[in-house]
Amino acid sequence: MQDTRALTLSFEVNGLPPVKTEALSIFAAGHRQATRVRALLEAACAAAQRTGWTPLTGPVEVDLTLRCPPGHRTSDATTLLGGVCAVLQDKKRVANIGLAHLGVLVDVALYQDDRQIRRLTYREEPAEEMSYAVRVTAIPNVV
């Protein structure tokens, strides 16, 4: 039987991506990244529902394209990638904090765990307004 799941999911988000810069979880209620986390989860949820996406269980590639006015980037590539990747994985494994404030968004996951990431790509493109594009792709298991 052929697997008919989508193997690539792409979507756009207005504003800046969440950044991961401290030990405090970006999922904690009231965290200063909460608005960015919610925007990313809502965009990922809409894209997943549109395509019938199910969380990937094998190796993945994550591509992040930041669009911003020249000279207006607020964080470095590693903190941007860290924040986006943390948000897109299964949050239920973050058992040490309450996630009820996320409501149904707690279930939004494009893959199970960051350890599945085998390729990361980061690009910046000039734009008048801040936004970003995310693409998650399944990488075939090669033996």
Side-chain angles (χ1 to χ4, degrees):
M1 179 180 237
Q2 184 179 8
D3 186 356
T4 59
R5 291 185 313 164
L7 298 178
T8 298
L9 184 68
S10 299
F11 56 93
E12 307 272 331
V13 186
N14 290 322
L16 286 168
V19 294
K20 192 171 180 182
T21 60
E22 56 191 281
L24 178 64
S25 173
I26 61 175
F27 300 113
H31 191 281
R32 61 188 178 97
Q33 296 291 312
T35 302
R36 294 180 188 185
V37 167
R38 186 166 288 281
L40 176 53
L41 286 172
E42 288 170 350
C45 181
Q49 287 176 339
R50 215 174 24 254
T51 62
W53 183 268
T54 56
L56 299 173
T57 58
V60 300
E61 176 179 357
V62 177
D63 178 58
L64 174 63
T65 302
L66 179 68
R67 297 184 190 102
C68 60
H72 285 85
R73 181 168 53 129
T74 61
S75 298
D76 61 74
T78 58
T79 58
L80 293 166
L81 285 164
V84 167
C85 292
V87 171
L88 297 179
Q89 70 183 343
D90 186 351
K91 285 148 289 303
K92 291 183 183 123
R93 55 185 207 79
V94 184
N96 59 343
I97 64 166
L99 299 174
H101 64 281
L102 292 175
V104 297
L105 295 176
V106 74
D107 293 324
V108 176
L110 302 187
Y111 48 87
Q112 292 176 335
D113 190 281
D114 279 349
R115 288 175 233 165
Q116 293 170 247
I117 299 172
R118 300 294 182 269
R119 292 184 206 137
L120 281 171
T121 307
Y122 174 81
R123 283 184 293 282
E124 288 184 21
E125 296 177 353
E128 289 185 26
E129 300 292 324
M130 296 280 205
S131 68
Y132 60 102
V134 176
R135 182 176 51 86
V136 175
T137 304
I139 299 173
N141 282 320
V142 179
V143 181

